[in-house]
Amino acid sequence: MAVAGSALSACGVEDEQLAMAMEADAASASTTEQPLAALTFASVRAFNDGWVTDDAVNSTEHYNIGKIYWFLSGDSFYDAFMTFSFEALPPLTAPIEFARLRLCLQSVTGDPWGNLGPLYVARVDPYSSLNTSLYYSASFDTQTYWSGNPSTKCTQVDVTQMVRNGLAKGNRVYLRLFFPHAPRGGTQEFIRVSSSRDSQNYPYLYVKYNYTYE
């Protein structure tokens, strides 16, 4: 009876080991057949960017943003436009966790915050290249970027919902920076902000997002 009992016990162990091996194989197959989710961070650099007025565009190492008075033609208001492409990133499988826009201030002329108001950032409809029609384009999800002269050169501001709304329309996000286009008068009220052509202080979106991989 003792021998029989030992034999039955051994068979039970073998059956249990076989069942465990089968479960492990099934789990392995499930893992290889189903995509895995991951959470990561990325910096998305601006491109196709520059400043725009009602009659001129330019792509230089900085954006003019605000009001510049010209003796012969009067006031011109300058807005900045920039594009951020998510095409090089793995496909997003859920809304991004957060997005922050980093800008670096180069210089300030006059008192644009005191005389014009806050610097705003907004989302705009897609554009293929800088052109004067952007000056009249509609702005969406507008929010304050700098309410006054910042204490540090480079700062980040949360633009999560703005970027989510932009990605809902495609894999690129198009943004605008601007001061209110009033009041007018013979004064210089503008700032210069580094553009994508500044090798160190270029604008970028810092994002945390989900994606899947095989």
Side-chain angles (χ1 to χ4, degrees), residues 89-157:
L89 301 183
L92 304 183
T93 56
I96 59 171
E97 297 287 321
F98 67 72
R100 297 172 184 157
L101 175 62
R102 196 283 294 264
L103 297 176
C104 294
L105 181 65
Q106 285 192 341
S107 65
V108 179
T109 300
D111 182 13
W113 288 281
N115 295 319
L116 300 179
L119 176 71
Y120 292 109
V121 59
R123 182 175 57 85
V124 296
D125 285 331
Y127 63 88
S128 57
S129 62
L130 295 176
N131 60 83
T132 55
S133 65
L134 289 173
Y135 182 82
Y136 302 99
S137 61
S139 296
F140 307 97
D141 307 322
T142 302
Q143 67 180 68
T144 299
Y145 193 92
W146 285 321
S147 58
N149 197 337
S151 58
T152 57
K153 179 178 181 179
C154 299
T155 58
Q156 294 185 13
V157 168

Short mmCIF file of all heavy atoms in Angstrom, two decimals, residues 89-157:
data_model
loop_
_atom_site.label_atom_id
_atom_site.label_comp_id
_atom_site.label_asym_id
_atom_site.label_seq_id
_atom_site.Cartn_x
_atom_site.Cartn_y
_atom_site.Cartn_z
N LEU A 89 7.07 59.04 -34.24
CA LEU A 89 6.83 58.31 -33.00
C LEU A 89 5.98 57.08 -33.28
O LEU A 89 5.25 57.03 -34.27
CB LEU A 89 6.13 59.20 -31.99
CG LEU A 89 6.84 60.49 -31.58
CD1 LEU A 89 6.04 61.21 -30.52
CD2 LEU A 89 8.25 60.21 -31.08
N PRO A 90 6.07 56.05 -32.42
CA PRO A 90 5.17 54.90 -32.56
C PRO A 90 3.72 55.35 -32.49
O PRO A 90 3.41 56.37 -31.86
CB PRO A 90 5.53 54.02 -31.36
CG PRO A 90 6.91 54.45 -30.96
CD PRO A 90 6.99 55.90 -31.28
N PRO A 91 2.82 54.63 -33.14
CA PRO A 91 1.40 55.04 -33.12
C PRO A 91 0.88 55.18 -31.70
O PRO A 91 1.09 54.30 -30.87
CB PRO A 91 0.71 53.90 -33.87
CG PRO A 91 1.76 53.29 -34.71
CD PRO A 91 3.04 53.43 -33.93
N LEU A 92 0.19 56.27 -31.43
CA LEU A 92 -0.39 56.48 -30.11
C LEU A 92 -1.60 55.57 -29.96
O LEU A 92 -2.41 55.44 -30.87
CB LEU A 92 -0.81 57.94 -29.94
CG LEU A 92 0.29 58.99 -30.14
CD1 LEU A 92 -0.28 60.37 -29.87
CD2 LEU A 92 1.47 58.74 -29.24
N THR A 93 -1.73 54.94 -28.80
CA THR A 93 -2.86 54.04 -28.55
C THR A 93 -3.84 54.60 -27.54
O THR A 93 -4.84 53.96 -27.24
CB THR A 93 -2.33 52.68 -28.05
OG1 THR A 93 -1.53 52.90 -26.88
CG2 THR A 93 -1.50 52.00 -29.11
N ALA A 94 -3.55 55.77 -27.01
CA ALA A 94 -4.43 56.42 -26.04
C ALA A 94 -4.07 57.90 -26.04
O ALA A 94 -3.02 58.29 -26.54
CB ALA A 94 -4.24 55.82 -24.65
N PRO A 95 -4.97 58.74 -25.53
CA PRO A 95 -4.62 60.16 -25.43
C PRO A 95 -3.31 60.36 -24.68
O PRO A 95 -3.02 59.63 -23.73
CB PRO A 95 -5.80 60.76 -24.67
CG PRO A 95 -6.93 59.84 -24.93
CD PRO A 95 -6.33 58.47 -25.02
N ILE A 96 -2.52 61.32 -25.11
CA ILE A 96 -1.25 61.58 -24.43
C ILE A 96 -1.51 61.93 -22.97
O ILE A 96 -2.53 62.51 -22.62
CB ILE A 96 -0.47 62.72 -25.12
CG1 ILE A 96 -1.29 64.00 -25.15
CG2 ILE A 96 -0.03 62.32 -26.52
CD1 ILE A 96 -0.51 65.20 -25.62
N GLU A 97 -0.56 61.54 -22.12
CA GLU A 97 -0.70 61.82 -20.69
C GLU A 97 -0.56 63.32 -20.41
O GLU A 97 -1.32 63.89 -19.64
CB GLU A 97 0.37 61.05 -19.91
CG GLU A 97 0.24 59.53 -20.02
CD GLU A 97 -0.92 59.00 -19.23
OE1 GLU A 97 -1.16 59.51 -18.13
OE2 GLU A 97 -1.58 58.06 -19.72
N PHE A 98 0.47 63.94 -21.01
CA PHE A 98 0.62 65.39 -20.89
C PHE A 98 1.52 65.89 -22.02
O PHE A 98 2.25 65.13 -22.65
CB PHE A 98 1.16 65.81 -19.52
CG PHE A 98 2.59 65.38 -19.24
CD1 PHE A 98 3.67 65.99 -19.89
CD2 PHE A 98 2.86 64.40 -18.32
CE1 PHE A 98 4.98 65.61 -19.62
CE2 PHE A 98 4.17 64.02 -18.04
CZ PHE A 98 5.22 64.62 -18.70
N ALA A 99 1.44 67.19 -22.26
CA ALA A 99 2.30 67.86 -23.24
C ALA A 99 2.65 69.24 -22.71
O ALA A 99 1.77 69.95 -22.21
CB ALA A 99 1.60 67.99 -24.59
N ARG A 100 3.93 69.59 -22.81
CA ARG A 100 4.39 70.90 -22.36
C ARG A 100 5.17 71.56 -23.49
O ARG A 100 6.04 70.93 -24.10
CB ARG A 100 5.29 70.75 -21.12
CG ARG A 100 4.56 70.17 -19.92
CD ARG A 100 5.52 69.86 -18.80
NE ARG A 100 4.84 69.21 -17.68
CZ ARG A 100 5.44 68.45 -16.79
NH1 ARG A 100 6.75 68.25 -16.86
NH2 ARG A 100 4.76 67.88 -15.81
N LEU A 101 4.87 72.81 -23.73
CA LEU A 101 5.57 73.58 -24.76
C LEU A 101 6.71 74.36 -24.12
O LEU A 101 6.48 75.12 -23.18
CB LEU A 101 4.59 74.54 -25.46
CG LEU A 101 5.20 75.50 -26.48
CD1 LEU A 101 5.84 74.75 -27.64
CD2 LEU A 101 4.13 76.47 -26.99
N ARG A 102 7.93 74.18 -24.65
CA ARG A 102 9.08 74.92 -24.15
C ARG A 102 9.44 76.02 -25.13
O ARG A 102 9.63 75.81 -26.32
CB ARG A 102 10.28 73.97 -24.00
CG ARG A 102 11.45 74.49 -23.14
CD ARG A 102 12.35 75.52 -23.82
NE ARG A 102 13.12 75.01 -24.94
CZ ARG A 102 14.38 74.57 -24.86
NH1 ARG A 102 15.02 74.59 -23.71
NH2 ARG A 102 15.02 74.16 -25.96
N LEU A 103 9.53 77.25 -24.62
CA LEU A 103 9.96 78.42 -25.39
C LEU A 103 11.09 79.12 -24.65
O LEU A 103 11.15 79.10 -23.42
CB LEU A 103 8.81 79.42 -25.58
CG LEU A 103 7.58 78.95 -26.36
CD1 LEU A 103 6.53 80.05 -26.36
CD2 LEU A 103 7.95 78.57 -27.79
N CYS A 104 11.96 79.78 -25.44
CA CYS A 104 13.07 80.53 -24.86
C CYS A 104 13.02 81.97 -25.35
O CYS A 104 13.03 82.23 -26.56
CB CYS A 104 14.41 79.90 -25.22
SG CYS A 104 14.66 78.26 -24.49
N LEU A 105 12.97 82.90 -24.42
CA LEU A 105 12.91 84.32 -24.72
C LEU A 105 14.31 84.86 -25.00
O LEU A 105 15.24 84.65 -24.22
CB LEU A 105 12.29 85.06 -23.55
CG LEU A 105 12.10 86.58 -23.67
CD1 LEU A 105 11.09 86.90 -24.78
CD2 LEU A 105 11.64 87.16 -22.35
N GLN A 106 14.47 85.58 -26.13
CA GLN A 106 15.76 86.17 -26.47
C GLN A 106 15.87 87.62 -26.02
O GLN A 106 16.89 88.03 -25.48
CB GLN A 106 16.00 86.09 -27.99
CG GLN A 106 16.37 84.71 -28.49
CD GLN A 106 16.88 84.77 -29.93
OE1 GLN A 106 16.64 85.72 -30.66
NE2 GLN A 106 17.59 83.73 -30.33
N SER A 107 14.83 88.40 -26.27
CA SER A 107 14.91 89.82 -25.93
C SER A 107 13.52 90.42 -25.83
O SER A 107 12.54 89.85 -26.34
CB SER A 107 15.73 90.58 -26.98
OG SER A 107 15.08 90.56 -28.24
N VAL A 108 13.43 91.57 -25.17
CA VAL A 108 12.18 92.32 -25.02
C VAL A 108 12.43 93.76 -25.42
O VAL A 108 13.41 94.37 -24.98
CB VAL A 108 11.67 92.26 -23.56
CG1 VAL A 108 10.39 93.07 -23.42
CG2 VAL A 108 11.47 90.82 -23.11
N THR A 109 11.55 94.30 -26.24
CA THR A 109 11.61 95.71 -26.63
C THR A 109 10.32 96.39 -26.20
O THR A 109 9.22 95.91 -26.51
CB THR A 109 11.80 95.87 -28.15
OG1 THR A 109 13.02 95.23 -28.55
CG2 THR A 109 11.84 97.34 -28.55
N GLY A 110 10.43 97.50 -25.48
CA GLY A 110 9.25 98.19 -24.96
C GLY A 110 8.64 97.42 -23.80
O GLY A 110 9.32 96.69 -23.08
N ASP A 111 7.33 97.54 -23.66
CA ASP A 111 6.59 96.86 -22.59
C ASP A 111 5.36 96.18 -23.20
O ASP A 111 4.23 96.63 -23.01
CB ASP A 111 6.18 97.87 -21.53
CG ASP A 111 5.45 97.21 -20.35
OD1 ASP A 111 5.49 95.96 -20.25
OD2 ASP A 111 4.83 97.93 -19.56
N PRO A 112 5.57 95.09 -23.96
CA PRO A 112 4.43 94.46 -24.63
C PRO A 112 3.38 93.93 -23.67
O PRO A 112 2.18 93.99 -23.97
CB PRO A 112 5.07 93.32 -25.44
CG PRO A 112 6.39 93.08 -24.79
CD PRO A 112 6.83 94.40 -24.25
N TRP A 113 3.78 93.42 -22.50
CA TRP A 113 2.79 92.91 -21.56
C TRP A 113 1.99 94.05 -20.93
O TRP A 113 0.79 93.92 -20.73
CB TRP A 113 3.49 92.09 -20.46
CG TRP A 113 3.99 90.78 -20.97
CD1 TRP A 113 3.26 89.64 -21.18
CD2 TRP A 113 5.34 90.47 -21.35
NE1 TRP A 113 4.07 88.65 -21.67
CE2 TRP A 113 5.35 89.13 -21.78
CE3 TRP A 113 6.53 91.19 -21.36
CZ2 TRP A 113 6.51 88.49 -22.22
CZ3 TRP A 113 7.68 90.56 -21.80
CH2 TRP A 113 7.67 89.22 -22.22
N GLY A 114 2.63 95.16 -20.68
CA GLY A 114 1.92 96.28 -20.10
C GLY A 114 1.04 97.01 -21.09
O GLY A 114 -0.03 97.51 -20.73
N ASN A 115 1.46 97.06 -22.36
CA ASN A 115 0.73 97.85 -23.36
C ASN A 115 -0.13 97.02 -24.32
O ASN A 115 -1.05 97.56 -24.94
CB ASN A 115 1.71 98.69 -24.17
CG ASN A 115 2.40 99.74 -23.32
OD1 ASN A 115 1.76 100.37 -22.46
ND2 ASN A 115 3.70 99.93 -23.51
N LEU A 116 0.16 95.73 -24.45
CA LEU A 116 -0.62 94.88 -25.35
C LEU A 116 -1.44 93.84 -24.60
O LEU A 116 -2.58 93.57 -24.94
CB LEU A 116 0.30 94.18 -26.36
CG LEU A 116 1.12 95.06 -27.29
CD1 LEU A 116 2.00 94.20 -28.20
CD2 LEU A 116 0.23 95.98 -28.12
N GLY A 117 -0.84 93.24 -23.58
CA GLY A 117 -1.52 92.19 -22.83
C GLY A 117 -0.67 90.93 -22.77
O GLY A 117 0.52 90.95 -23.08
N PRO A 118 -1.25 89.78 -22.39
CA PRO A 118 -0.49 88.54 -22.26
C PRO A 118 -0.02 88.02 -23.63
O PRO A 118 -0.60 88.33 -24.66
CB PRO A 118 -1.48 87.57 -21.62
CG PRO A 118 -2.59 88.41 -21.09
CD PRO A 118 -2.66 89.61 -21.97
N LEU A 119 1.01 87.20 -23.58
CA LEU A 119 1.38 86.42 -24.76
C LEU A 119 0.53 85.15 -24.74
O LEU A 119 0.50 84.42 -23.75
CB LEU A 119 2.85 86.04 -24.74
CG LEU A 119 3.30 85.13 -25.89
CD1 LEU A 119 3.30 85.89 -27.21
CD2 LEU A 119 4.66 84.52 -25.62
N TYR A 120 -0.17 84.89 -25.85
CA TYR A 120 -1.05 83.73 -25.94
C TYR A 120 -0.44 82.66 -26.84
O TYR A 120 0.31 82.95 -27.77
CB TYR A 120 -2.41 84.14 -26.51
CG TYR A 120 -3.23 85.02 -25.59
CD1 TYR A 120 -3.43 86.37 -25.89
CD2 TYR A 120 -3.83 84.49 -24.44
CE1 TYR A 120 -4.19 87.17 -25.05
CE2 TYR A 120 -4.58 85.29 -23.61
CZ TYR A 120 -4.76 86.63 -23.92
OH TYR A 120 -5.51 87.42 -23.08
N VAL A 121 -0.82 81.42 -26.57
CA VAL A 121 -0.56 80.30 -27.46
C VAL A 121 -1.90 79.69 -27.83
O VAL A 121 -2.81 79.62 -27.00
CB VAL A 121 0.38 79.25 -26.81
CG1 VAL A 121 -0.20 78.69 -25.53
CG2 VAL A 121 0.68 78.12 -27.79
N ALA A 122 -2.04 79.29 -29.08
CA ALA A 122 -3.30 78.73 -29.55
C ALA A 122 -3.02 77.70 -30.65
O ALA A 122 -1.95 77.69 -31.26
CB ALA A 122 -4.22 79.83 -30.10
N ARG A 123 -3.98 76.86 -30.87
CA ARG A 123 -3.92 75.90 -31.96
C ARG A 123 -4.57 76.49 -33.20
O ARG A 123 -5.56 77.23 -33.10
CB ARG A 123 -4.64 74.60 -31.54
CG ARG A 123 -4.62 73.49 -32.57
CD ARG A 123 -5.25 72.22 -31.98
NE ARG A 123 -6.61 72.48 -31.51
CZ ARG A 123 -7.69 72.43 -32.30
NH1 ARG A 123 -7.57 72.19 -33.60
NH2 ARG A 123 -8.88 72.64 -31.79
N VAL A 124 -4.02 76.20 -34.37
CA VAL A 124 -4.60 76.65 -35.64
C VAL A 124 -4.81 75.46 -36.55
O VAL A 124 -4.28 74.36 -36.31
CB VAL A 124 -3.71 77.70 -36.34
CG1 VAL A 124 -3.61 78.96 -35.50
CG2 VAL A 124 -2.33 77.13 -36.65
N ASP A 125 -5.58 75.66 -37.61
CA ASP A 125 -5.80 74.61 -38.59
C ASP A 125 -4.49 74.31 -39.33
O ASP A 125 -3.60 75.17 -39.40
CB ASP A 125 -6.88 75.03 -39.58
CG ASP A 125 -8.28 74.96 -38.98
OD1 ASP A 125 -8.50 74.12 -38.08
OD2 ASP A 125 -9.16 75.74 -39.40
N PRO A 126 -4.38 73.11 -39.91
CA PRO A 126 -3.14 72.75 -40.62
C PRO A 126 -2.79 73.72 -41.74
O PRO A 126 -3.66 74.27 -42.41
CB PRO A 126 -3.48 71.36 -41.19
CG PRO A 126 -4.51 70.81 -40.25
CD PRO A 126 -5.34 72.00 -39.84
N TYR A 127 -1.51 73.94 -41.91
CA TYR A 127 -1.00 74.74 -43.02
C TYR A 127 0.22 74.04 -43.60
O TYR A 127 0.93 73.32 -42.91
CB TYR A 127 -0.65 76.17 -42.57
CG TYR A 127 0.46 76.25 -41.55
CD1 TYR A 127 1.80 76.34 -41.93
CD2 TYR A 127 0.18 76.27 -40.18
CE1 TYR A 127 2.82 76.42 -40.99
CE2 TYR A 127 1.19 76.36 -39.23
CZ TYR A 127 2.50 76.44 -39.65
OH TYR A 127 3.52 76.51 -38.72
N SER A 128 0.46 74.24 -44.89
CA SER A 128 1.58 73.57 -45.55
C SER A 128 2.85 74.41 -45.53
O SER A 128 3.96 73.87 -45.51
CB SER A 128 1.21 73.21 -47.00
OG SER A 128 0.83 74.38 -47.71
N SER A 129 2.69 75.72 -45.56
CA SER A 129 3.85 76.61 -45.52
C SER A 129 3.43 77.95 -44.94
O SER A 129 2.24 78.30 -44.92
CB SER A 129 4.43 76.80 -46.92
OG SER A 129 3.47 77.40 -47.79
N LEU A 130 4.40 78.72 -44.46
CA LEU A 130 4.10 80.04 -43.92
C LEU A 130 3.59 80.96 -45.02
O LEU A 130 4.18 81.04 -46.10
CB LEU A 130 5.35 80.64 -43.29
CG LEU A 130 5.91 79.93 -42.05
CD1 LEU A 130 7.21 80.59 -41.61
CD2 LEU A 130 4.90 79.93 -40.92
N ASN A 131 2.53 81.67 -44.75
CA ASN A 131 1.98 82.61 -45.71
C ASN A 131 1.17 83.66 -44.97
O ASN A 131 0.78 83.45 -43.80
CB ASN A 131 1.12 81.90 -46.76
CG ASN A 131 -0.05 81.16 -46.14
OD1 ASN A 131 -1.09 81.74 -45.86
ND2 ASN A 131 0.13 79.84 -45.88
N THR A 132 0.91 84.78 -45.62
CA THR A 132 0.24 85.90 -44.95
C THR A 132 -1.20 85.59 -44.57
O THR A 132 -1.75 86.24 -43.67
CB THR A 132 0.27 87.15 -45.84
OG1 THR A 132 -0.30 86.84 -47.11
CG2 THR A 132 1.71 87.63 -46.04
N SER A 133 -1.83 84.61 -45.19
CA SER A 133 -3.21 84.27 -44.83
C SER A 133 -3.30 83.72 -43.41
O SER A 133 -4.36 83.78 -42.77
CB SER A 133 -3.80 83.27 -45.82
OG SER A 133 -3.12 82.04 -45.75
N LEU A 134 -2.18 83.20 -42.88
CA LEU A 134 -2.19 82.71 -41.51
C LEU A 134 -2.48 83.82 -40.50
O LEU A 134 -3.00 83.56 -39.42
CB LEU A 134 -0.83 82.07 -41.18
CG LEU A 134 -0.52 80.73 -41.85
CD1 LEU A 134 0.93 80.32 -41.57
CD2 LEU A 134 -1.48 79.66 -41.38
N TYR A 135 -2.13 85.04 -40.88
CA TYR A 135 -2.36 86.19 -39.99
C TYR A 135 -3.85 86.30 -39.64
O TYR A 135 -4.21 86.74 -38.54
CB TYR A 135 -1.87 87.46 -40.68
CG TYR A 135 -2.01 88.72 -39.87
CD1 TYR A 135 -1.06 89.06 -38.91
CD2 TYR A 135 -3.09 89.58 -40.07
CE1 TYR A 135 -1.18 90.23 -38.17
CE2 TYR A 135 -3.21 90.76 -39.34
CZ TYR A 135 -2.25 91.08 -38.40
OH TYR A 135 -2.39 92.24 -37.67
N TYR A 136 -4.72 85.89 -40.58
CA TYR A 136 -6.16 86.00 -40.39
C TYR A 136 -6.80 84.67 -39.97
O TYR A 136 -8.03 84.58 -39.90
CB TYR A 136 -6.81 86.50 -41.68
CG TYR A 136 -6.26 87.83 -42.15
CD1 TYR A 136 -5.29 87.88 -43.15
CD2 TYR A 136 -6.69 89.02 -41.57
CE1 TYR A 136 -4.77 89.10 -43.58
CE2 TYR A 136 -6.17 90.24 -41.99
CZ TYR A 136 -5.21 90.27 -42.99
OH TYR A 136 -4.70 91.47 -43.41
N SER A 137 -5.99 83.66 -39.71
CA SER A 137 -6.54 82.34 -39.39
C SER A 137 -7.18 82.33 -38.00
O SER A 137 -6.81 83.09 -37.11
CB SER A 137 -5.43 81.28 -39.46
OG SER A 137 -4.40 81.56 -38.53
N ALA A 138 -8.14 81.44 -37.84
CA ALA A 138 -8.83 81.30 -36.56
C ALA A 138 -7.92 80.60 -35.54
O ALA A 138 -7.10 79.75 -35.90
CB ALA A 138 -10.11 80.50 -36.75
N SER A 139 -8.08 80.98 -34.28
CA SER A 139 -7.32 80.36 -33.19
C SER A 139 -8.25 79.53 -32.32
O SER A 139 -9.39 79.92 -32.07
CB SER A 139 -6.64 81.45 -32.34
OG SER A 139 -5.69 82.17 -33.10
N PHE A 140 -7.74 78.38 -31.86
CA PHE A 140 -8.53 77.48 -31.03
C PHE A 140 -7.76 77.14 -29.74
O PHE A 140 -6.54 77.15 -29.72
CB PHE A 140 -8.84 76.18 -31.78
CG PHE A 140 -9.45 76.39 -33.14
CD1 PHE A 140 -8.66 76.38 -34.28
CD2 PHE A 140 -10.81 76.61 -33.28
CE1 PHE A 140 -9.21 76.57 -35.54
CE2 PHE A 140 -11.37 76.82 -34.53
CZ PHE A 140 -10.56 76.79 -35.66
N ASP A 141 -8.50 76.81 -28.70
CA ASP A 141 -7.91 76.39 -27.42
C ASP A 141 -6.92 77.43 -26.88
O ASP A 141 -5.89 77.07 -26.29
CB ASP A 141 -7.18 75.04 -27.58
CG ASP A 141 -8.07 73.97 -28.18
OD1 ASP A 141 -9.26 73.95 -27.85
OD2 ASP A 141 -7.55 73.15 -28.98
N THR A 142 -7.20 78.69 -27.09
CA THR A 142 -6.27 79.76 -26.70
C THR A 142 -6.06 79.79 -25.19
O THR A 142 -7.00 79.69 -24.41
CB THR A 142 -6.83 81.12 -27.18
OG1 THR A 142 -7.01 81.07 -28.59
CG2 THR A 142 -5.87 82.24 -26.83
N GLN A 143 -4.80 79.93 -24.80
CA GLN A 143 -4.47 80.07 -23.38
C GLN A 143 -3.25 80.96 -23.23
O GLN A 143 -2.49 81.16 -24.18
CB GLN A 143 -4.20 78.69 -22.76
CG GLN A 143 -2.97 77.99 -23.28
CD GLN A 143 -2.75 76.63 -22.63
OE1 GLN A 143 -3.53 75.69 -22.84
NE2 GLN A 143 -1.68 76.53 -21.84
N THR A 144 -3.06 81.48 -22.04
CA THR A 144 -1.92 82.34 -21.77
C THR A 144 -0.63 81.53 -21.70
O THR A 144 -0.59 80.47 -21.08
CB THR A 144 -2.12 83.09 -20.44
OG1 THR A 144 -3.30 83.90 -20.54
CG2 THR A 144 -0.93 83.98 -20.12
N TYR A 145 0.40 82.05 -22.34
CA TYR A 145 1.73 81.44 -22.19
C TYR A 145 2.55 82.23 -21.17
O TYR A 145 3.00 81.69 -20.18
CB TYR A 145 2.47 81.36 -23.52
CG TYR A 145 3.68 80.45 -23.42
CD1 TYR A 145 3.58 79.11 -23.74
CD2 TYR A 145 4.91 80.91 -22.94
CE1 TYR A 145 4.67 78.25 -23.60
CE2 TYR A 145 5.99 80.08 -22.79
CZ TYR A 145 5.87 78.75 -23.12
OH TYR A 145 6.96 77.91 -22.95
N TRP A 146 2.76 83.52 -21.44
CA TRP A 146 3.43 84.39 -20.47
C TRP A 146 2.50 85.56 -20.16
O TRP A 146 2.13 86.32 -21.05
CB TRP A 146 4.74 84.95 -21.03
CG TRP A 146 5.87 83.97 -21.07
CD1 TRP A 146 6.19 83.03 -20.13
CD2 TRP A 146 6.86 83.83 -22.10
NE1 TRP A 146 7.29 82.32 -20.52
CE2 TRP A 146 7.74 82.80 -21.72
CE3 TRP A 146 7.10 84.50 -23.31
CZ2 TRP A 146 8.82 82.40 -22.50
CZ3 TRP A 146 8.17 84.11 -24.09
CH2 TRP A 146 9.03 83.06 -23.68
N SER A 147 2.14 85.73 -18.90
CA SER A 147 1.31 86.86 -18.50
C SER A 147 2.15 88.10 -18.24
O SER A 147 1.63 89.21 -18.11
CB SER A 147 0.50 86.51 -17.25
OG SER A 147 1.37 86.15 -16.19
N GLY A 148 3.45 87.92 -18.13
CA GLY A 148 4.39 89.01 -17.92
C GLY A 148 5.77 88.56 -18.31
O GLY A 148 5.97 87.42 -18.74
N ASN A 149 6.73 89.47 -18.18
CA ASN A 149 8.11 89.15 -18.54
C ASN A 149 8.61 88.00 -17.65
O ASN A 149 8.66 88.13 -16.43
CB ASN A 149 8.98 90.38 -18.34
CG ASN A 149 10.32 90.26 -19.06
OD1 ASN A 149 10.78 89.16 -19.36
ND2 ASN A 149 10.94 91.39 -19.34
N PRO A 150 8.97 86.84 -18.24
CA PRO A 150 9.35 85.69 -17.41
C PRO A 150 10.67 85.93 -16.69
O PRO A 150 11.55 86.64 -17.17
CB PRO A 150 9.48 84.55 -18.44
CG PRO A 150 9.78 85.24 -19.73
CD PRO A 150 9.03 86.54 -19.69
N SER A 151 10.81 85.29 -15.54
CA SER A 151 12.01 85.46 -14.73
C SER A 151 13.16 84.60 -15.22
O SER A 151 14.31 84.82 -14.85
CB SER A 151 11.70 85.14 -13.26
OG SER A 151 11.21 83.82 -13.13
N THR A 152 12.85 83.57 -16.01
CA THR A 152 13.89 82.71 -16.58
C THR A 152 13.79 82.73 -18.10
O THR A 152 12.71 82.94 -18.66
CB THR A 152 13.75 81.26 -16.07
OG1 THR A 152 12.44 80.77 -16.39
CG2 THR A 152 13.97 81.19 -14.57
N LYS A 153 14.90 82.46 -18.76
CA LYS A 153 14.95 82.54 -20.22
C LYS A 153 14.05 81.52 -20.89
O LYS A 153 13.32 81.83 -21.82
CB LYS A 153 16.39 82.37 -20.69
CG LYS A 153 16.55 82.41 -22.21
CD LYS A 153 18.01 82.29 -22.61
CE LYS A 153 18.17 82.34 -24.13
NZ LYS A 153 19.59 82.25 -24.54
N CYS A 154 14.12 80.27 -20.43
CA CYS A 154 13.36 79.18 -21.04
C CYS A 154 12.34 78.64 -20.04
O CYS A 154 12.69 78.36 -18.89
CB CYS A 154 14.29 78.05 -21.49
SG CYS A 154 15.51 78.55 -22.74
N THR A 155 11.11 78.49 -20.47
CA THR A 155 10.05 78.00 -19.60
C THR A 155 9.18 77.01 -20.36
O THR A 155 9.14 77.00 -21.59
CB THR A 155 9.17 79.14 -19.07
OG1 THR A 155 8.60 79.84 -20.19
CG2 THR A 155 9.97 80.11 -18.23
N GLN A 156 8.46 76.18 -19.59
CA GLN A 156 7.51 75.23 -20.16
C GLN A 156 6.12 75.53 -19.62
O GLN A 156 5.96 75.88 -18.45
CB GLN A 156 7.88 73.79 -19.80
CG GLN A 156 9.18 73.31 -20.42
CD GLN A 156 9.43 71.84 -20.13
OE1 GLN A 156 8.55 71.12 -19.68
NE2 GLN A 156 10.64 71.39 -20.40
N VAL A 157 5.12 75.38 -20.50
CA VAL A 157 3.73 75.59 -20.12
C VAL A 157 2.91 74.39 -20.58
O VAL A 157 3.13 73.87 -21.68
CB VAL A 157 3.17 76.89 -20.73
CG1 VAL A 157 1.65 76.96 -20.58
CG2 VAL A 157 3.81 78.10 -20.08
#
